[in-house]
Amino acid sequence: MVKKIHIYKTPDPFSDLLLESENGALIRIRFIETSDFIEEEDRTCFGGIIRWLDLYFAGHKPNFTPRLSWKYGTPF
């Protein structure tokens, strides 16, 4: 089990996002204050979600779903 994090820089006025992955699949995404974290430079496991977020925040509807893991999901 390999867990990684990445800070996604959102455009103003949004707070940045913390992305967490396990074995290459997104397991958690949440808004954060970036001053609390040090960014990991290895973005390879976040390629799909970063492309999806770039499209979304540019005002486009992504036509794909990045790899997700529901292992830590909630009943919501």
Side-chain angles (χ1 to χ4, degrees):
M1 169 174 47
V2 176
K3 288 188 178 181
K4 294 191 176 189
I5 65 167
H6 174 72
I7 307 291
Y8 180 83
K9 305 287 187 190
T10 59
D12 288 336
F14 302 103
S15 295
D16 291 336
L17 294 170
L18 175 67
L19 311 176
E20 295 180 62
S21 77
E22 182 176 274
N23 298 324
L26 185 69
I27 61 170
R28 189 172 295 116
I29 184 171
R30 63 186 172 109
F31 287 103
I32 60 160
E33 294 298 322
T34 50
S35 60
D36 297 338
F37 292 91
I38 298 172
E39 185 173 355
E40 172 64 44
E41 290 299 318
D42 180 9
R43 299 170 29 141
T44 54
C45 67
F46 295 102
I49 189 64
I50 290 171
R51 281 194 317 276
W52 194 96
L53 290 167
D54 285 345
L55 289 167
Y56 178 81
F57 283 111
H60 304 288
K61 183 178 179 182
N63 62 354
F64 66 94
T65 302
R67 187 170 173 223
L68 305 172
S69 171
W70 301 106
K71 180 178 179 179
Y72 300 101
T74 64
F76 177 75

